[in-house]
């Protein structure tokens, strides 16, 4: 393989995406962490999210572009992608900037897009994950709709152990003859 093969795990907050990516990274697949969490963990990140969601979305977009450009030759798995930012803005009732709209249409993920569905039994708020259960479910619906709007078909991850999810993702990627 001589080009990047970009795949994504999307879904609402607290559905096991980051944990899954940490375990997949151990298997040797290049992974990219969620850019929103890094922004929220930075000084004033939570305030930016609360006080200016448009600027927060712009910061996510810029960080996502950096991750996109950092993809190595071969398979990579991202914790969220450009359509997630569009879904966030729609959930907030905000317009999608032209640059983000263009990125969603032109920077295409060529691997499968996995969705970690809302899973109440594992959902736990934390310092950056401030949504309650209903808000997490609404976030999942918004990002799922955004991915569909941009022409992606989501593949639901099983509600199973992390190791079973790792096996599911790896077997699906191997079906694409990319690993």
């Amino acid at each position: 393989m001589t080009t990047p093969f970009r795949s994504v795990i999307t879904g609402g907050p607290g559905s096991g995406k980051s944990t899954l990516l940490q375990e997949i990274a151990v298997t040797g697949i290049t992974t990219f962490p969620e850019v929103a969490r890094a922004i929220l963990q930075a000084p004033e990140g939570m305030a930016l999210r609360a006080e200016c969601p448009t600027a927060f979305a712009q910061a996510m977009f810029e960080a996502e572009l950096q991750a996109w450009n950092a993809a190595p030759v071969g398979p990579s798995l991202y914790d969220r992608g450009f359509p997630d930012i569009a879904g966030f803005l729609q959930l907030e009732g905000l317009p999608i900037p032209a640059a983000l709209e263009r990125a969603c249409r032109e920077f295409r993920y060529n691997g499968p897009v996995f969705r970690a569905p809302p899973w109440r039994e594992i959902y736990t708020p934390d310092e950056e994950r401030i949504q309650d259960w209903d808000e997490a479910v609404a976030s999942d619906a918004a990002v799922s709709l955004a991915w569909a709007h941009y022409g992606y078909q989501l593949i639901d991850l099983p509600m199973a152990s992390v190791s079973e999810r790792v096996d599911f993702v790896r077997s699906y990627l191997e079906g694409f003859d990319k690993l």
Side-chain angles (χ1 to χ4, degrees):
M1 166 175 290
T2 59
T3 61
F5 180 78
R6 297 175 179 97
S7 195
V8 177
I9 298 179
T10 188
S15 57
K17 297 178 304 297
S18 297
T19 300
L20 176 58
L21 267 112
Q22 290 170 357
E23 290 301 312
I24 286 176
V26 172
T27 72
I29 295 175
T30 300
T31 61
F32 290 91
E34 182 182 8
V35 299
R37 187 166 280 264
I39 295 164
L40 292 170
Q41 290 172 344
E44 304 302 317
M46 292 299 289
L48 180 66
R49 162 68 176 91
E51 296 165 15
C52 192
T54 302
F56 179 65
Q58 180 62 35
M60 287 191 293
F61 175 64
E62 291 167 8
E64 201 66 59
L65 276 174
Q66 289 178 349
W68 177 270
N69 290 325
V73 169
S76 297
L77 193 54
Y78 291 78
D79 189 336
R80 300 189 178 271
F82 296 112
D84 284 277
I85 303 166
F88 165 77
L89 287 167
Q90 290 172 328
L91 189 62
E92 294 290 318
L94 297 168
I96 298 170
L100 175 58
E101 179 71 27
R102 192 170 39 259
C104 288
R105 297 202 181 278
E106 294 177 10
F107 298 143
R108 303 296 295 173
Y109 299 91
N110 50 356
V113 178
F114 300 98
R115 173 182 166 257
W119 190 358
R120 189 173 211 124
E121 287 75 20
I122 67 168
Y123 179 79
T124 309
D126 63 25
E127 293 278 326
E128 294 87 33
R129 188 183 304 124
I130 57 173
Q131 300 92 340
D132 66 23
W133 172 249
D134 292 335
E135 291 168 327
V137 171
S139 178
D140 172 71
V143 299
S144 294
L145 283 172
W147 281 96
H149 173 77
Y150 292 109
Y152 293 93
Q153 184 174 15
L154 302 179
I155 300 163
D156 279 356
L157 293 170
M159 290 183 178
S161 70
V162 176
S163 64
E164 289 172 295
R165 282 181 157 191
V166 168
D167 291 344
F168 179 86
V169 169
R170 286 191 57 83
S171 69
Y172 208 97
L173 292 176
E174 288 167 0
F176 279 82
D177 296 320
K178 302 299 179 188
L179 294 179

